[in-house]
Amino acid sequence: LLEKMADVRLKEAALIVGVVAACYWNSLFCGFVFDDVSAILDNKDLHPSTPLKNLFQNDFWGTPMSEERSHKSYRPLTVLTFRLNYLFSELNAVSYHFLNLVFHVVVCIVFLKVCKLFLDNRSSVVASLLFAVHPIHTEAVTGVVGRAELLSSIFFLAAFLSYTKSKGPDNTIVWTPIAVTVFLVAVATLCKEQGITVVGICCVYEVFIAQGYTLPTLLDTAVQILQGKGSIPFSMLQTLLKLIVLMFSTLLLVVVRVQVIQSQLPVFTRFDNPAAVSPSPARQLTFNYLLPVNAWLLLNPSELCCDWTMGTIPLVESLLDVRNIATLTFFCFLGALIVFSLRYPGDSSKTVLMALCLIVLPFIPASNLFFPVGFVVAERVLYVPSMGFCILVAHGWKKLSNKSVLRKISWVCLAAVLFTHALKTLHRNWDWESEYTLFMSALKVNKNNAKLWNNVGHALENEKNFERALQFFIQATQVQPDDIGAHMNVGRTYKNLNKTKEAEESYMIAKSLMPQIIPGKKYAARVAPNHLNVYINLANLIRANESRLEEADQLYRQAISMRPDFKQAYISRGELLLKMNKPLKAKEAYLRALELDRTNADLWYNLAIVYIELKDPTEALKNFNRALELNPAHKLALFNSALLMQESGDARLRPEAKQRLLHYVKEEPQDANGYFNLGMLAMDDKKDMEAEAWMKKAIRLQPNFRSALFNLALLYSQTSKEVMALPVLEDLLRYYPDHTKGLILKGDILMNQKKDIIGAKTCFEKILELDPNNVQGKHNLCVVYFEERDLIKAEKCLVETLALAPHEEYIQRHLNIVRSKIASLGAVEQSSLPSEGTAAAEEKKKSFQNLKEMKNEKKTTRSTVDNNKEHSKNKKLTEKNSVDKETPKKSTKEIKDIEKKRVAALKRLEEIERILNGE
């Protein structure tokens, strides 16, 4: 009969699907908010590159369970579903919300099946519909992290349904359903910890429903056995055997769970749960008062809030507090229901008993009565308890509707409740659209929670609205003056507004609120780990002042002394030590951080930067490669390792360097530096057309890209396209009028190709305005004077140039030629200095056409430590600037080309000198 009643008809399932869809369709338009950010956006366990085993080693938020900062919430199967979402749609929020909606539908249908075990068909549908539309569920369904509740509930109910089949004919034991139950309990617990409480419900069901005992019956039997008047009935022995097996299996699960958290409870602060750190009787009175508060949210879900921590519910500090009346009333009502359900036989009492079990047992882990939790009230933890509440309401409605006088009014009231709850749920979903809408809706309910003011500030901060964000952060400090995080937020926002003085003052206030170090006592046990970031933030702020670097280092060391496993402190200190030109100490800091986390690609990258500072490119490249093994898409490692390969001069490394740069531009298609360096690689490989295309791409993205403009002009100059080089040089000099090498190249082209003596003269004079001692520019100006037939001026100019570079033989030789010309005035028209002299110093064995300028932009990497998002990792400039030196390790062909040009220039020079001397 039970099996038949428990079947769910297709039209009932269709009705539930329709109602859920009508209530939650708009949840698909919501984004990732509140805890979703940590569990989804910042959780590396979702990425396919992360080994699957990490899901079973880390907590719900991706933090290793062994770390003190871990919340110890072990839900690997829930994270696995997030990972599947990521696999199909990455961070598209729609798919995550859609799957939550599907899971809620499944829970409602399975719940209907459970209801049919204790209610008639109509009442079961009513209970399921009430559950489907209840507004308290929006946090669990519309908030993506609420999936832990949904998944756990599915297996929770499935485990219970399986256990109900463990009673065979003639009260025999059927072991297969019990084994399935134990398995499903384990699965439910791996989705969320409260899944294990279904074992208690199974025990109550076995004793009072399956076996039909009442409390008086059990007491009478116990008394008779103790008095020796009777033995334990066989049916009771069978019941005890089933319960022992069930409880032993549960005990094993508990032992495993304790091992997973390594026998450590998570660290919470008084801001998360003020009552947990309060003295007696305030602690007990407040925790007991929270029970009627939760009951009221189920009864009247009109004012819902996403965060009930901090000052949301003031402490009940006295027995005279009027709120104790609510606590007393709640316990009286609960006690009456318990007595009724346990004392009297009958279907009604059984229904009430199972409803109470569903309300009370799953709520125990979140009740604060046995161990503290990290919240005061959380609407999502009422997801399963609300099932019992809905059964109670449906059972009461059944009683009323069976009375002819109240039948119509009971139906009207039911319709009104379903409609208003559905409307409230639909409206509440829009609150979860964004972090700003969510926290603003919470502030309408509660203005005494500093965390809410902070979170609105964070939402505005993410939108770069720093002025408005600052107002909310300051309000948070006024609501909760001892909130360290709020003062840190104020300091960070002042920093973003470039108000350094005010930022430092706020950080100092936050630092003064930190508890004093107690020797021998772990600091993390007394304060939230994120609060230690005040030292990092303050140090990062003051180290901008070169005179305060030691002070910043002291702050980093203080943070490390408080918490030796504070990875970010080592990272930030390593960056500072590099700035202080202490690469060996920076290396030590990064190696220490790597001991704490060898899977952090950013750490390997930063260590590579240290090796660059230590002039060890081989080790640097090895560490870049380690970073790329851990994160093949690590942009900075791709970029800087490619530059390192390029700078090595080893032609064998160029193909790999090119592949990395191609990968980099795929990851960062708007970064002109990637295309520029691809162009430089092509120039190295003599692929002129390819080099031209990459340079043009870089310039399109960044029209004022200095190095790209110059090297493109230089490329045209090398490939006999001097006319095409001129407009590029015009652009370069429009952006950078003092670009000396650009002026030299332009003057050379104007002199030798365009025969524009006046234009060339203007370029060389501009160079001397910028740098009067520029030998190349001054020598070229001397040549201009010679071309203008002003021999006296040319002679004077060459004398001055020779004084600047007395060891340059070619200047002396040109001076001799000019003096010879002056001595033989008739030969002026037939002579000229070599035009090659305007390009570069031939006697320096360097062709101007082979000159390259490489100047790559500074590249930085950042590591997010906490929600403040302020601390930076190593910043490093990796430059290649070969303007004043030959490109290292040129090929034999390149050297021969240069030599040929040099020899040709010398021959022309010698011929001119011979003609001059002959005349």
Side-chain angles (χ1 to χ4, degrees), residues 677-744:
N677 284 286
L678 281 166
M680 296 306 295
L681 270 177
M683 287 179 73
D684 287 341
D685 289 333
K686 301 298 178 187
K687 296 178 180 177
D688 298 331
M689 291 182 66
E690 184 181 333
E692 179 184 354
W694 288 125
M695 292 294 182
K696 285 182 174 178
K697 176 76 172 176
I699 292 166
R700 276 198 298 274
L701 289 170
Q702 188 179 329
N704 65 341
F705 197 153
R706 176 186 173 117
S707 300
L709 287 165
F710 176 76
N711 281 290
L712 180 60
L714 189 59
L715 178 66
Y716 285 141
S717 157
Q718 289 175 343
T719 53
S720 303
K721 297 178 182 176
E722 288 86 352
V723 176
M724 295 177 69
L726 276 177
V728 179
L729 287 168
E730 291 291 347
D731 288 341
L732 172 68
L733 294 170
R734 184 171 71 253
Y735 290 116
Y736 308 101
D738 57 349
H739 195 290
T740 303
K741 291 174 178 60
L743 288 166
I744 289 174

Side-chain angles (χ1 to χ4, degrees), residues 560-571:
I560 290 169
S561 70
M562 292 177 171
R563 184 168 181 159
D565 67 343
F566 194 6
K567 181 177 64 179
Q568 187 57 38
Y570 293 106
I571 293 169

Side-chain angles (χ1 to χ4, degrees), residues 518-723:
I518 300 173
K521 187 171 182 181
K522 284 189 177 180
Y523 189 75
R526 294 177 291 112
V527 70
N530 283 347
H531 288 170
L532 284 173
N533 287 315
V534 67
Y535 295 96
I536 308 296
N537 294 356
L538 183 56
N540 289 346
L541 180 71
I542 65 175
R543 76 180 190 188
N545 185 339
E546 294 288 337
S547 65
R548 302 181 70 183
L549 298 183
E550 288 292 345
E551 187 181 345
D553 189 34
Q554 177 62 33
L555 285 166
Y556 290 136
R557 282 185 281 136
Q558 189 173 353
I560 290 169
S561 70
M562 292 177 171
R563 184 168 181 159
D565 67 343
F566 194 6
K567 181 177 64 179
Q568 187 57 38
Y570 293 106
I571 293 169
S572 298
R573 185 168 185 244
E575 180 186 352
L576 176 68
L577 290 168
L578 272 179
K579 187 175 182 179
M580 296 169 73
N581 199 25
K582 296 179 180 179
L584 287 173
K585 287 190 175 181
K587 177 182 168 184
E588 289 176 14
Y590 286 130
L591 288 174
R592 179 73 181 93
L594 279 168
E595 288 176 16
L596 299 169
D597 183 6
R598 298 191 68 80
T599 62
N600 189 322
D602 289 336
L603 280 175
W604 291 105
Y605 169 81
N606 287 350
L607 188 59
I609 298 303
V610 172
Y611 279 115
I612 288 175
E613 289 293 318
L614 292 170
K615 305 293 188 291
D616 191 346
T618 304
E619 280 299 315
L621 191 56
K622 284 181 184 176
N623 284 284
F624 279 138
N625 291 340
R626 285 297 300 273
L628 290 170
E629 285 171 15
L630 291 165
N631 180 9
H634 195 291
K635 299 171 193 173
L636 296 173
L638 286 168
F639 183 85
N640 284 300
S641 63
L643 291 191
L644 203 59
M645 292 174 176
Q646 189 177 359
E647 287 175 346
S648 71
D650 188 345
R652 293 170 299 178
L653 294 177
R654 285 180 194 160
E656 178 61 22
K658 182 178 180 180
Q659 288 304 312
R660 292 189 182 188
L661 285 172
L662 286 171
H663 191 168
Y664 176 77
V665 297
K666 184 180 177 182
E667 296 288 331
E668 286 286 342
Q670 298 304 311
D671 186 1
N673 290 287
Y675 302 103
F676 166 71
N677 284 286
L678 281 166
M680 296 306 295
L681 270 177
M683 287 179 73
D684 287 341
D685 289 333
K686 301 298 178 187
K687 296 178 180 177
D688 298 331
M689 291 182 66
E690 184 181 333
E692 179 184 354
W694 288 125
M695 292 294 182
K696 285 182 174 178
K697 176 76 172 176
I699 292 166
R700 276 198 298 274
L701 289 170
Q702 188 179 329
N704 65 341
F705 197 153
R706 176 186 173 117
S707 300
L709 287 165
F710 176 76
N711 281 290
L712 180 60
L714 189 59
L715 178 66
Y716 285 141
S717 157
Q718 289 175 343
T719 53
S720 303
K721 297 178 182 176
E722 288 86 352
V723 176

Side-chain angles (χ1 to χ4, degrees), residues 52-122:
L52 272 174
K53 65 177 183 179
N54 284 24
L55 272 64
F56 296 88
Q57 296 171 347
N58 299 341
D59 68 13
F60 189 51
W61 318 98
T63 306
M65 294 292 287
S66 57
E67 292 190 13
E68 281 181 313
R69 62 192 179 95
S70 168
H71 281 210
K72 311 299 181 187
S73 45
Y74 188 66
R75 303 163 192 172
L77 295 187
T78 303
V79 179
L80 184 61
T81 65
F82 292 151
R83 186 170 172 131
L84 291 173
N85 271 120
Y86 188 91
L87 188 65
F88 288 106
S89 64
E90 293 195 352
L91 294 176
N92 180 4
V94 175
S95 74
Y96 293 80
H97 287 293
F98 178 75
L99 199 53
N100 271 25
L101 194 152
V102 170
F103 285 144
H104 183 52
V105 168
V106 173
V107 174
C108 292
I109 292 172
V110 179
F111 176 56
L112 174 59
K113 194 174 176 71
V114 171
C115 289
K116 290 190 175 189
L117 297 174
F118 313 110
L119 296 169
D120 60 39
N121 197 61
R122 189 173 62 182

Side-chain angles (χ1 to χ4, degrees), residues 52 66 74-75 118 214 220 236 240 257 275 304 334 443 483 488 506 530 566 646 683 753 791:
L52 272 174
S66 57
Y74 188 66
R75 303 163 192 172
F118 313 110
T214 61
D220 288 343
M236 191 172 286
L240 282 173
R257 184 67 176 83
L304 299 178
L334 183 65
L443 279 176
D483 181 8
M488 289 168 64
S506 295
N530 283 347
F566 194 6
Q646 189 177 359
M683 287 179 73
Q753 304 300 323
L791 299 182

Side-chain angles (χ1 to χ4, degrees), residues 286-389:
T286 304
F287 282 158
N288 282 289
Y289 171 67
L290 294 179
L291 300 177
V293 169
N294 281 280
W296 182 249
L297 286 174
L298 290 173
L299 277 168
N300 179 29
S302 59
E303 293 189 339
L304 299 178
C305 181
C306 62
D307 193 307
W308 294 79
T309 56
M310 293 188 133
T312 304
I313 299 176
L315 296 174
V316 181
E317 298 180 293
S318 167
L319 289 169
L320 299 177
D321 193 311
V322 70
R323 289 174 294 174
N324 289 319
I325 297 173
T327 306
L328 192 62
T329 304
F330 170 79
F331 277 108
C332 288
F333 184 71
L334 183 65
L337 287 176
I338 292 171
V339 169
F340 169 76
S341 61
L342 293 177
R343 186 171 182 179
Y344 302 103
D347 291 340
S348 182
S349 60
K350 290 178 180 179
T351 301
V352 172
L353 178 61
M354 293 312 299
L356 288 175
C357 286
L358 280 169
I359 293 172
V360 174
L361 295 180
F363 186 72
I364 285 175
S367 66
N368 283 289
L369 296 177
F370 297 97
F371 49 83
V373 293
F375 53 83
V376 179
V377 172
E379 292 163 14
R380 62 180 175 273
V381 303
L382 293 174
Y383 189 76
V384 176
S386 68
M387 294 178 185
F389 172 78

